[in-house]
Amino acid sequence: NDPDAAGYVRSLATCGNLRGHGIGVALLEWAKQHIRDHGRRYMRLRCSGENPDLCRYYENFGFVLCGQAQDPLWIAFLYQIEL
């Protein structure tokens, strides 16, 4: 789990009235290309393991669950996608 082999997505969100318009996917596609262009092998993120819809969203994009971490207030699921 070499942190230098990855680029990280943090705090991705869209406004409620803009959901369903593909903005999140467009941002993830941009991040994927940006991370790849900088020579990284993986794109990684963490999200709430208590939000099955969000987890499914990332899994549908191609992310694979690779672990979990206990944060003080929530369970974080760790995801990555190989570029």
Side-chain angles (χ1 to χ4, degrees):
N1 246 353
D2 178 10
D4 293 332
Y8 295 83
V9 174
R10 295 185 53 126
S11 302
L12 177 67
T14 57
C15 294
N17 62 334
L18 297 177
R19 288 192 183 115
H21 294 273
I23 294 170
V25 169
L27 289 169
L28 287 171
E29 288 291 352
W30 179 88
K32 194 172 166 181
Q33 188 60 50
H34 182 75
I35 292 166
R36 184 185 292 127
D37 289 347
H38 284 83
R40 305 301 172 108
R41 185 174 174 193
Y42 300 99
M43 180 165 66
R44 294 182 179 149
L45 60 83
R46 68 180 183 173
C47 70
S48 173
E50 299 166 359
N51 186 336
D53 291 335
L54 182 59
C55 293
R56 193 168 26 260
Y57 178 83
Y58 289 125
E59 290 166 5
N60 287 339
F61 186 81
F63 281 93
V64 176
L65 181 63
C66 59
Q68 69 180 52
Q70 183 66 47
D71 215 84
L73 300 175
W74 55 289
I75 297 171
F77 278 12
L78 310 173
Y79 282 97
Q80 78 176 13
I81 187 169
E82 188 166 356
L83 307 176

